[in-house]
Amino acid sequence: MIEFLPLIAISVSVMGAILIVLIGDRNPNLRESISVIAGIIKFGAVVSLVPAFLQGKEIYLKVATVLPGLDLSFRVDGLGLLFALGASFLWIITTFYSIGYMRGLREHAQTRYFACFALSLSSAIGISFAANLFTMFIFYEALTIVTYPLVAHHEDREGLEGGRQYVFYLLGTAKVFLLSAIVLTYVLTGTLEFKKGGIFTPELVRNNTLLLQIMLIFYLYGFNKSAIMPIHSWLPAAMVAPTPVSALLHAVAVVKAGVFTVSRVLLNVYGGDAIKALNMQDFILFITSFTIITASLIAMTRDDFKARLAFSTVANLSYIIIGVAMFSPSGILGGIVHITMHAFSKITMFFVAGAVYVCAHTKKISELDGIGKKMPITMFSFALATLSMVGIPAFAGFISKFNLALGAIEISKPELVGVFVVSSFLNAAYFIPVVYRAFFREPKNPLKWVDVKENLFCAIPLFITSLFTVILGLYPNLPIIIIRSMLQ
Amino acid sequence: MMELLSLAIISPLLGGLLIFLIKDRRFSKFISYLSSLISLIAFFVLFLNFEKTGGFQHVISLEWIPAWRVNIEFGLDKFNAPFAILTSLISIVAIHLSLRTAIERVENYLSLILLLQFTVIGFYLSTNLFLFFIFYEAMLPPAFFLIYRWGTGDSYRAAFKFLIYTFAFSIFLFIGIIGVFMAAGSFSFESLKELNLSLQDKTLLYLAFFLAFAVKIPIVPLHGWLRDAYYLSPTPITIFMSAVMGKMGIYGLLRVTPYFSDVLLEIGWAIILLCLISFIYAAFLALNQRDMKLLFSYMSLSHVGIITAGLLSGTLQGLNGSLLQSINHGVLAASFFYLAEIFKRQTKSYDMDRLGALSKRVPVLVFFTFAFVMAMGGFPGLSYFNGEILLLSGIFRHSVILGFLAIIGVAIGVVYLCYFFYRVFLKKPGSDMSLLVRDVRGFEFVIFSVFFIITLYLGLNPSFVIGQVENIFTYYGR
Amino acid sequence: MNYFSLLPEIIVICIATVMLIAGTIRRERHLIFYLSLSAVLSGVLVLLLINPVSGEGGHLIQTDPVVNLIRILIYGGGAFILIFSFYELSEKTDRLAEFYFLLIMSLSGMSVLTMANDLLIIYLSIELFSLCFYILAAFYREDRRSIEAGMKYFVLGTLSSIVLVGSIAFFYAYTGSTSLESLRGMNMDSKFTIFGSLLFLSAFAFKLSLVPFHAWSPDVYEGAPTSVTALFASLPKLAVFILLGKIFSLAFKGIDLSLFIIIVSSLSMILGNVLALRQKNLKRMLSYSSIAHSGYMFTAFLLPEQEIYTTLVPYLIFYLFMNLGAFAVILSIEKGEKIDSFHGLNNISPVLALSMAIVMLSFTGIPPTAGFIVKFNLFKNVFLAGYGGVVFLGIFMSILSAYYYLRVVFYSYSSQIAEFSLRKELRVCAVFSAFLVLAGGVFPSIYLL
């Protein structure tokens, strides 16, 4: 029975989406309650997998065998479970926030919005429980397609352009790089099933070194949702979307799906031994480090709130990959935990950016002087998230960064610690000014924020997520236990 | 079972002759539906009742020309059965679409379509090379009448080009067949197994077969007839040509290629390269099209390129993939041309730039188009992806570099499909032409649903068509 | 001398003479027509019922079942020509009896030619039908083109007769006999032998209008009355090809003439088809097409002797019926020799249009017509005999021919509304030929041995 839980978790939001479309604009309240209910059921389904998983049960479901070695099947493991937990939990919160945001701005096409939202969550959960590359590829592509209407939601010139870039980069890389990598994997091994320690035998690695190196690069850039530089420009371009979408994209589903898939490939397709035998570890570490530093530097130059957050996301995604690519226990732990930790911090920040836009109608950081007095909860949450992002102890970000640094030392590459330290400083350098402006600068025009009031539909969800950055910082046990059990 | 097979083969012929003799409009409609439906059902029943391994089954054999040891012989096996079903299915769609569009002298038209169906089915099911050749040529007269008489614009030129190209390159088929007869003393497909030829002669023989089929598929640079023939024909005929007749070439190659694997080791890379160039070149042609029907024509041209390339890789995956993908492509190409015809009927034009902003007006049409675009774009889990992954595996197994070349074409394929969808449905502001577009309903809804269900089903269970992948070489007896 | 074999000719000529006398006394066209028809049909009947076969060796004439089959076809085809010319000419001329007499004499000449076993008989019979032909070609005495055609035919024909006589004299000088069997004793490698046989073949190549001996053919075809053109295009080919087949298997057995055959047939295929491409006059077009088809058939002489007949005879039979069918349709249509007259034929007479389509498809060599099977058979055998190049050229050229043959079909199925009168009587001939051609395509085992 428990094998069907992943399928239920995936299909519940598909059902939800169908119901949402059927109800349509006739009854917005019912439509949004369905979103929430579906979210809760989904979260419930995922959570109820945890005990079974911790007991070490094998949870595996084969739906169909398409071709030999090409199954549609699901398996629950630590990595996926953690990702699914985070995504399904944040969906509930994002739904509440979306209600406030969409109603606050009287956005059009809300039915489509909620339906696509539900579908994108299905895809994300599908990715997390996929037992092989084929299944993962299905949901990965589905995720790109169902999020397109969300990115292009405004349907204006800018929106369509952003959507075009989004689809072009993601589908294009998936077709060119990912498809060839997957086919080559299939050709070489005859299977696409994930396996602990990788599916490439040492002999295969010896005989096809160059090919496997190229394939690895293809995997890294093919799962382009991870936005490793230099193919990252779709991510800032996709910022034209409504803020809850950006939050979903950047914190929960899309980019996390990207790093998740990359981690899967590194851990369960290649495996540490193969990567080391191919001499590709340094390459991955280098491009990710480069991405971290460069993206952080670019973020400093951006005045648009969401653009700054976007580049910060680009940098943080590479944290996760760098951690996984270390292939040392602490490194992997740090990397994967960062999926969750970063999710809570970043979603808070996006919620804040959206709330500021809904209430004060501004997108520029330079215009935020003094807003903290009018929106205290919002900006306080932002401050908490900032502390987490920078990696102050007792906050979520610290857990991951600490483990990452440990991992770097375990594989005796102290220069990576340097990268983390520098990037943390840069994090501070581009986030703390926001807090500073909001609370400690007076607006030039004293009457500027007179009409501004907090929107509680927005403020409460983001406050909750910011609290989680603290909670996870203080009690990081659950994610760590899950990952440890996976690593054994 | 033999009677059933005879029924399936003969019913289009009988239907066509009946319609030709009794020139009555209403009667001809009824008969045309009936005869192709009988054929479809019979083939389907046969398909469910046969083994996807082993040689020809349910063989019908009539003595014909004893001097050449040639019999009129039809049989089903793993390769031709799917094509036969596809042909009957597409015929029904083509007949239905023809009846929806007002066509003059519909009796003659229907009888020709049925005759065409008969010749194509005969081609697929024949078990010896001579009959195969006869049907290959016999297909020409009905096809050129249909293009010429019911086509638009300069259909005279289109029909002639089609005819001359196909006919001209049938020289090579003739030479191939005679070559086999010379080497093995018989026209049967079995005799391909026992060719006692030097590698050089075998290469020449294979090239003859390849050239003959390449013009039918077609492969660039032998595609000169395609644009006019596809574009100017009435759309039902375009559907038939692209979905079924283009596959005749692929089927032909599928029949002969496995016996020439030693040749493919020598020259395989060159002809695969040619097919892939065709694939990419046609994709680029499609990229610039604003005319829906031309876009789909070039899309069809492009996709058959990779199907052939995969086939020529001579690998297990490639051969199975091309079989599977031919069926998938047949179904999807038919649905795309059908879509184009729906737009043409309602707006009187194929121009994509004069549409747009349709997504909210016609939800059902959008849904189906979107599904077909996704399928054709190789969305995993839908039918086309399975074929694609097999074909690509085949090509990659043959040569990694050629595989990457194929991937580029696949990617361009996604781009023009997305452009198509964007321009027709999403682009804003829409033009007033869009207001003319109505949603699909009735029988068309049924047809689209059937196509959609096939796409979904074959996405999850391609072995319905191709059986077990491993079986193919045991079939060829090596 | 075996007069028994000549029984059909004797009967036919007797009835024809009666017809001529009766016809000149009473110019009653139906009487003339039926008497002539009965003459020709009695020839067919005698051949069918009695089937006179002569014994082996030593005769001036010699028959066997194949030759008799061809004679049946010659008389049968002659009956068709009679019917054609009756409808074409009976109202235009009052000299019908003379016309028919000449026609029947030429048929007998051709019939004798097929049986000939002696060089002199060959010469005599050729002169017999050729002289008739010259007059038939110029039968429209008022029409300048007809006169010109007759003159041209006569002058060039005489030239070829001289060549033929020369070669016969040459052989006689060399072997001391005119019998075909005696030619077998010639020294095969001798230059004289080869020269003589080349002269001999050239004379026949003229009759078959093979390139480069074809110059007379288009003008004669165009100028002569259409029914006479139908005669020229079909029957002499039958007779001459059969005779050549006999000569190649009897006399020229060891002489290597393959180069000559290849050159002549290739040139004929190329020139015939290429020149036919642009013809707007159907009679001219069919003349070029007959050049091309002679070219295809001539390649049969590359085959080993036992295969010549089995390859050639089916081709000849269906070539005859294709021509008869095509001319029947042309004659049915007012100004039928102009290709533009065919526009919209289907709207007036679907039966004629379909017959024409079948015949033209057969000319082109597209299944399911007999034209495909016989052409396939011919090319297959030549290919297997090792002359792949000629075959390749032949198929290529027959593909080219699709353009001009099928243009007629296209025209007749165009949607244009046509307004012209039809001669309904010949429809039966057209349908009969088309049916035979189609049946031959579906049941080839009857004639493929």
Side-chain angles (χ1 to χ4, degrees):
Chain A
M1 188 52 220
I2 198 157
E3 301 89 70
F4 287 98
L5 274 178
L7 206 59
I8 291 168
I10 293 163
S11 51
V12 66
S13 49
V14 176
M15 300 295 174
I18 294 169
L19 282 178
I20 288 169
V21 171
L22 290 179
I23 292 167
D25 286 330
R26 274 166 293 176
N27 191 341
N29 289 334
L30 179 59
R31 178 184 71 198
E32 278 137 38
S33 340
I34 284 175
S35 280
V36 176
I37 292 166
I40 291 169
I41 295 175
K42 181 189 286 270
F43 183 61
V46 176
V47 167
S48 50
L49 284 168
V50 175
F53 171 74
L54 288 179
Q55 285 161 22
K57 268 192 193 156
E58 163 96 358
I59 306 170
Y60 178 77
L61 175 67
K62 186 191 268 186
V63 179
T65 299
V66 175
L67 293 168
L70 217 65
D71 299 332
L72 186 64
S73 54
F74 300 100
R75 177 181 277 120
V76 178
D77 73 345
L79 189 58
L81 192 59
L82 199 64
F83 177 55
L85 270 177
S88 56
F89 177 65
L90 287 174
W91 184 34
I92 303 173
I93 293 173
T94 316
T95 309
F96 278 114
Y97 180 82
S98 299
I99 297 168
Y101 182 90
M102 300 302 277
R103 291 192 175 178
L105 288 176
R106 293 198 179 77
E107 285 280 355
H108 72 135
Q110 294 196 14
T111 305
R112 184 181 75 195
Y113 172 89
F114 282 107
C116 287
F117 220 118
L119 287 175
S120 65
L121 257 295
S122 280
S123 314
I125 304 292
I127 292 174
S128 61
F129 290 139
N132 54 39
L133 267 171
F134 172 66
T135 315
M136 196 157 91
F137 189 43
I138 295 179
F139 288 106
Y140 181 85
E141 291 273 74
L143 186 58
T144 312
I145 288 164
V146 296
T147 46
Y148 170 77
L150 296 174
V151 172
H153 183 80
H154 292 307
E155 293 184 24
D156 51 7
R157 201 185 175 72
E158 223 185 348
L160 288 176
E161 171 62 23
R164 196 184 66 80
Q165 275 206 33
Y166 179 76
V167 163
F168 181 79
Y169 274 98
L170 291 187
L171 281 187
T173 50
K175 268 291 170 210
V176 177
F177 298 140
L178 189 52
L179 185 60
S180 36
I182 288 179
V183 172
L184 275 170
T185 310
Y186 186 52
V187 168
L188 289 176
T189 64
T191 175
L192 293 176
E193 207 73 17
F194 296 133
K195 216 173 102 194
K196 201 171 265 184
I199 56 177
F200 295 124
T201 56
E203 194 189 350
L204 214 55
V205 171
R206 262 200 311 284
N207 293 338
N208 300 291
T209 311
L210 179 64
L211 191 59
L212 285 175
Q213 284 170 343
I214 293 172
M215 277 163 60
L216 181 63
I217 297 173
F218 277 13
Y219 271 124
L220 290 177
Y221 287 105
F223 286 120
N224 196 237
K225 290 196 172 82
S226 59
I228 301 172
M229 281 185 171
I231 310 182
H232 66 285
S233 62
W234 60 271
L235 211 164
M239 280 305 132
V240 293
T243 308
V245 175
S246 304
L248 173 89
L249 283 176
H250 293 230
V252 187
V254 176
V255 293
K256 288 296 155 54
V259 288
F260 174 80
T261 48
V262 170
S263 314
R264 263 276 189 258
V265 168
L266 291 178
L267 292 173
N268 296 128
V269 176
Y270 273 79
D273 298 336
I275 299 269
K276 282 172 195 148
L278 291 167
N279 299 322
M280 288 302 276
Q281 191 179 22
D282 289 341
F283 172 79
I284 303 173
L285 295 178
F286 172 76
I287 54 165
T288 43
S289 307
F290 174 81
T291 307
I292 291 173
I293 302 292
T294 319
S296 302
L297 287 172
I298 296 173
M300 290 182 71
T301 66
R302 292 289 186 271
D303 189 30
D304 186 291
F305 205 157
K306 279 164 78 179
R308 188 173 288 189
L309 293 178
F311 278 103
S312 156
T313 307
V314 173
N316 275 285
L317 294 176
S318 287
Y319 271 100
I320 299 165
I321 298 172
I322 218 172
V324 173
M326 284 174 194
F327 294 109
S328 66
S330 305
I332 296 176
L333 177 70
I336 295 174
V337 152
H338 199 62
I339 294 180
T340 314
M341 303 308 184
H342 173 250
F344 281 97
S345 318
K346 192 44 77 51
I347 203 167
T348 309
M349 289 178 155
F350 271 106
F351 283 171
V352 168
V356 167
Y357 179 62
V358 169
C359 302
H361 303 289
T362 180
K363 288 178 172 175
K364 295 261 187 289
I365 291 169
S366 53
E367 291 173 4
L368 290 181
D369 295 359
I371 199 164
K373 304 226 169 63
K374 287 288 179 185
M375 305 176 72
I377 307 176
T378 310
M379 294 319 289
F380 176 69
S381 307
F382 187 84
L384 289 183
T386 303
L387 295 177
S388 166
M389 289 296 286
V390 174
I392 305 295
F395 285 93
F398 172 76
I399 310 289
S400 45
K401 289 198 180 177
F402 176 73
N403 279 304
L404 284 173
L406 265 182
I409 290 162
E410 275 170 17
I411 61 164
S412 53
K413 291 208 188 312
E415 59 272 23
L416 290 178
V417 181
V419 170
F420 297 141
V421 171
V422 169
S423 92
S424 291
F425 274 117
L426 289 172
N427 262 320
Y430 58 77
F431 279 138
I432 288 183
V434 181
V435 182
Y436 174 76
R437 276 175 188 275
F439 285 110
F440 303 108
R441 288 269 285 268
E442 290 301 320
K444 287 192 189 98
N445 172 4
L447 297 176
K448 193 174 179 187
W449 308 123
V450 166
D451 295 337
V452 173
K453 268 208 309 245
E454 277 200 307
N455 178 337
L456 285 183
F457 249 120
C458 296
I460 292 172
L462 66 88
F463 184 63
I464 293 173
T465 53
S466 71
L467 277 186
F468 265 94
T469 60
V470 184
I471 295 169
L472 283 173
L474 295 174
Y475 304 102
N477 282 341
L478 178 67
I480 289 179
I481 289 168
I482 291 176
I483 297 165
R484 285 253 162 82
S485 72
M486 177 192 93
L487 289 176
Q488 275 152 19
Chain B
M1 281 300 153
M2 262 175 60
E3 294 78 14
L4 203 57
L5 184 60
S6 335
L7 181 71
I9 295 170
I10 211 83
S11 79
L13 177 67
L14 286 182
L17 290 179
L18 260 181
I19 291 172
F20 185 76
L21 294 174
I22 308 170
K23 300 210 169 190
D24 179 74
R25 209 181 154 78
R26 299 207 15 221
F27 176 76
S28 66
K29 283 181 189 175
F30 173 72
I31 287 290
S32 58
Y33 275 123
L34 184 72
S35 50
S36 36
L37 204 62
I38 288 176
S39 168
L40 177 66
I41 292 170
F43 276 128
F44 200 73
V45 171
L46 285 166
F47 188 76
L48 295 178
N49 283 309
F50 92 123
E51 294 292 316
K52 291 192 185 69
T53 53
F56 288 107
Q57 292 156 50
H58 310 312
V59 179
I60 312 173
S61 185
L62 300 170
E63 192 167 80
W64 195 36
I65 312 179
W68 301 349
R69 271 169 290 156
V70 169
N71 291 340
I72 296 185
E73 199 169 278
F74 299 106
L76 283 173
D77 74 346
K78 174 184 161 126
F79 294 106
N80 57 24
F83 284 105
I85 291 189
L86 180 72
T87 310
S88 310
L89 178 71
I90 298 296
S91 307
I92 292 185
V93 174
I95 288 169
H96 174 70
L97 186 56
S98 316
L99 294 176
R100 286 299 304 264
T101 43
I103 277 181
E104 38 156 3
R105 282 182 172 268
V106 84
E107 313 87 61
N108 293 353
Y109 178 90
L110 288 175
S111 73
L112 280 174
I113 282 199
L114 289 176
L115 284 182
L116 186 61
Q117 185 192 350
F118 166 71
T119 51
V120 173
I121 286 179
F123 174 82
Y124 284 136
L125 296 190
S126 47
T127 61
N128 61 56
L129 282 164
F130 184 72
L131 213 56
F132 185 75
F133 182 57
I134 287 215
F135 279 110
Y136 184 84
E137 302 249 314
M139 171 269 324
L140 290 173
F144 81 61
F145 277 121
L146 284 167
I147 300 172
Y148 164 58
R149 192 62 177 74
W150 287 275
T152 52
D154 193 359
S155 57
Y156 180 72
R157 238 170 75 102
F160 244 127
K161 260 199 215 168
F162 167 75
L163 183 79
I164 293 287
Y165 263 94
T166 316
F167 197 42
F169 280 83
S170 66
I171 298 184
F172 295 104
L173 188 55
F174 173 85
I175 288 177
I177 287 171
I178 297 296
V180 172
F181 186 72
M182 247 170 117
S186 144
F187 284 116
S188 79
F189 283 128
E190 298 289 311
S191 61
L192 282 165
K193 273 181 200 161
E194 297 121 23
L195 291 179
N196 288 322
L197 291 173
S198 68
L199 188 60
Q200 197 190 353
D201 290 349
K202 247 182 141 179
T203 309
L204 288 176
L205 192 60
Y206 186 67
L207 278 180
F209 278 122
F210 176 74
L211 276 175
F213 293 130
V215 78
K216 191 85 213 165
I217 295 175
I219 299 296
V220 173
L222 306 176
H223 67 297
W225 58 273
L226 178 127
R227 184 193 175 280
D228 285 350
Y230 276 27
Y231 189 67
L232 300 178
S233 306
T235 304
I237 306 307
T238 315
I239 289 179
F240 205 86
M241 282 202 284
S242 130
V244 177
M245 281 157 66
K247 305 295 175 300
M248 291 166 72
I250 293 171
Y251 169 73
L253 283 178
L254 210 49
R255 270 273 170 243
V256 297
T257 301
Y259 304 113
F260 291 88
S261 45
D262 42 350
V263 174
L264 285 177
L265 283 181
E266 293 286 315
I267 57 160
W269 65 271
I271 42 183
I272 293 175
L273 183 67
L274 183 72
C275 295
L276 289 177
I277 288 172
S278 163
F279 179 43
I280 294 171
Y281 170 76
F284 272 113
L285 287 180
L287 208 51
N288 292 322
Q289 287 309 325
R290 297 300 174 92
D291 184 302
M292 230 181 275
K293 200 173 174 187
L294 265 186
L295 169 69
F296 297 151
S297 303
Y298 286 131
M299 178 168 82
S300 199
L301 172 61
S302 169
H303 283 225
V304 290
I306 192 176
I307 296 176
T308 317
L311 201 171
L312 295 175
S313 70
T315 53
L316 204 64
Q317 284 86 355
L319 289 166
N320 275 301
S322 60
L323 174 60
L324 177 62
Q325 197 74 330
S326 300
I327 305 303
N328 293 336
H329 179 259
V331 170
L332 285 174
S335 33
F336 272 104
F337 280 113
Y338 205 122
L339 280 173
E341 185 59 21
I342 284 179
F343 282 108
K344 167 82 173 179
R345 195 164 67 215
Q346 289 167 350
T347 68
K348 307 276 178 280
S349 130
Y350 290 123
D351 196 348
M352 295 199 279
D353 284 339
R354 295 166 77 180
L355 293 165
L358 277 173
S359 52
K360 285 174 193 132
R361 279 185 48 84
V362 284
V364 182
L365 185 62
V366 173
F367 171 75
F368 281 124
T369 316
F370 183 65
F372 295 142
V373 164
M374 292 233 295
M376 201 70 151
F379 185 84
L382 296 177
S383 62
Y384 220 67
F385 178 78
N386 300 328
E388 207 164 81
I389 203 163
L390 283 175
L391 290 172
L392 288 171
S393 307
I395 300 172
F396 267 119
R397 190 156 281 191
H398 195 275
S399 150
V400 174
I401 293 170
L402 289 175
F404 288 142
L405 203 61
I407 291 279
I408 291 172
V410 171
I412 302 171
V414 177
V415 175
Y416 60 71
L417 277 170
C418 288
Y419 271 139
F420 157 71
F421 190 74
Y422 174 78
R423 282 184 184 131
V424 172
F425 293 102
L426 302 180
K427 181 189 62 189
K428 284 196 169 175
S431 100
D432 42 343
M433 280 288 223
S434 317
L435 298 177
L436 298 170
V437 181
R438 298 235 166 68
D439 221 342
V440 291
R441 60 167 82 90
F443 205 97
E444 276 169 1
F445 183 82
V446 175
I447 287 181
F448 277 153
S449 305
V450 168
F451 282 163
F452 180 64
I453 289 166
I454 293 174
T455 309
L456 273 183
Y457 181 69
L458 292 185
L460 291 178
N461 189 13
S463 55
F464 181 71
V465 171
I466 57 175
Q468 291 301 310
V469 173
E470 285 79 7
N471 279 335
I472 198 162
F473 279 123
T474 56
Y475 174 85
Y476 283 113
R478 45 180 74 214
Chain C
M1 200 67 191
N2 192 344
Y3 291 104
F4 184 57
S5 316
L6 277 175
L7 189 62
E9 277 70 33
I10 294 167
I11 295 173
V12 166
I13 291 173
C14 286
I15 302 180
T17 317
V18 171
M19 181 273 296
L20 182 65
I21 295 164
T24 41
I25 296 167
R26 275 193 69 190
R27 294 213 171 264
E28 165 62 59
R29 59 196 182 97
H30 282 102
L31 173 76
I32 298 169
F33 174 64
Y34 286 119
L35 267 176
S36 323
L37 203 59
S38 64
V40 176
L41 290 182
S42 61
V44 176
L45 218 59
V46 168
L47 281 166
L48 275 178
L49 294 179
I50 302 174
N51 196 13
V53 178
S54 62
E56 272 299 306
H59 303 290
L60 286 181
I61 55 173
Q62 195 162 17
T63 57
D64 56 52
V66 177
V67 167
N68 280 348
L69 175 69
I70 295 299
R71 286 164 74 195
I72 294 173
L73 287 173
I74 286 174
Y75 286 121
F80 273 79
I81 307 286
L82 274 173
I83 299 169
F84 291 174
S85 49
F86 180 68
Y87 290 109
E88 193 196 0
L89 296 174
S90 62
E91 276 144 29
K92 291 184 188 163
T93 177
D94 51 352
R95 286 171 284 116
L96 202 62
E98 291 87 334
F99 182 87
Y100 277 161
F101 185 71
L102 288 170
L103 184 56
I104 294 170
M105 288 311 287
S106 72
L107 293 181
S108 315
M110 287 185 269
S111 177
V112 174
L113 180 65
T114 57
M115 297 183 286
N117 200 23
D118 189 285
L119 290 173
L120 281 179
I121 297 290
I122 291 176
Y123 178 71
L124 283 178
S125 51
I126 279 192
E127 281 307 294
L128 176 57
F129 79 75
S130 294
L131 282 170
C132 299
F133 277 7
Y134 305 145
I135 305 169
L136 286 176
F139 199 72
Y140 282 152
R141 275 195 300 194
E142 301 78 24
D143 188 347
R144 211 172 52 81
R145 279 190 312 170
S146 185
I147 301 281
E148 185 192 328
M151 275 309 290
K152 209 173 205 170
Y153 199 7
F154 176 64
V155 171
L156 290 172
T158 314
L159 205 66
S160 87
S161 295
I162 292 167
V163 173
L164 185 59
V165 172
S167 70
I168 288 174
F170 192 87
F171 285 133
Y172 183 67
Y174 201 76
T175 60
S177 157
T178 55
S179 138
L180 281 186
E181 275 114 0
S182 66
L183 292 187
R184 218 182 291 179
M186 293 187 299
N187 178 4
M188 297 310 169
D189 296 330
S190 150
K191 276 177 193 153
F192 289 104
T193 323
I194 293 175
F195 182 70
S197 13
L198 285 184
L199 273 186
F200 190 77
L201 280 184
S202 306
F204 281 101
F206 174 85
K207 296 292 172 210
L208 295 171
S209 62
L210 285 164
V211 177
F213 311 100
H214 69 293
W216 59 277
S217 140
D219 291 336
V220 172
Y221 275 51
E222 196 188 353
T226 310
S227 42
V228 176
T229 314
L231 171 68
F232 290 174
S234 49
L235 296 179
K237 306 246 149 125
L238 242 66
V240 173
F241 265 114
I242 286 300
L243 179 77
L244 276 183
K246 192 188 277 179
I247 288 170
F248 267 94
S249 53
L250 274 180
F252 294 173
K253 217 169 176 181
I255 308 175
D256 185 16
L257 294 167
S258 58
L259 190 65
F260 177 77
I261 297 168
I262 288 173
I263 289 173
V264 167
S265 55
S266 308
L267 280 177
S268 308
M269 291 177 208
I270 295 172
L271 226 68
N273 282 310
V274 170
L275 290 178
L277 285 180
R278 299 197 60 81
Q279 297 306 326
K280 292 277 176 194
N281 184 313
L282 272 182
K283 279 155 79 179
R284 271 188 100 81
M285 186 197 99
L286 284 173
S287 122
Y288 284 116
S289 119
S290 85
I291 294 175
H293 278 275
S294 300
Y296 303 142
M297 285 187 264
F298 207 55
T299 56
F301 297 124
L302 294 167
L303 297 176
E305 54 176 325
Q306 64 276 16
E307 281 182 9
I308 291 180
Y309 271 172
T310 54
T311 311
L312 208 50
V313 172
Y315 203 117
L316 284 169
I317 297 171
F318 288 103
Y319 176 74
L320 169 70
F321 283 108
M322 288 186 264
N323 264 310
L324 291 177
F327 278 102
V329 176
I330 291 174
L331 279 164
S332 301
I333 300 170
E334 184 192 11
K335 288 201 188 121
E337 69 266 24
K338 296 230 165 46
I339 190 167
D340 289 331
S341 313
F342 275 80
H343 272 298
L345 176 63
N346 184 43
N347 297 333
I348 296 183
S349 171
V351 175
L352 275 183
L354 187 69
S355 311
M356 192 64 173
I358 290 172
V359 167
M360 286 294 153
L361 288 178
S362 183
F363 266 128
T364 320
I366 293 177
T369 57
F372 167 77
I373 304 276
V374 293
K375 213 180 244 184
F376 186 92
N377 187 26
L378 171 71
F379 286 147
K380 179 192 84 136
N381 289 342
V382 177
F383 192 96
L384 292 182
Y387 298 94
V390 185
V391 171
F392 196 84
L393 182 74
I395 307 176
F396 184 74
M397 282 301 152
S398 62
I399 280 151
L400 209 61
S401 72
Y403 177 76
Y404 59 86
Y405 287 130
L406 296 182
R407 195 167 49 183
V408 182
V409 183
F410 274 116
Y411 280 10
S412 58
Y413 280 93
S414 74
S415 52
Q416 198 171 321
I417 290 163
E419 289 184 358
F420 49 78
S421 56
L422 284 178
R423 233 184 243 116
K424 292 249 161 79
E425 298 85 356
L426 291 178
R427 217 158 52 176
V428 184
C429 300
V431 171
F432 178 73
S433 312
F435 174 77
L436 264 183
V437 165
L438 197 62
V442 181
F443 305 105
S445 53
I446 299 167
Y447 54 87
L448 282 183
L449 300 169

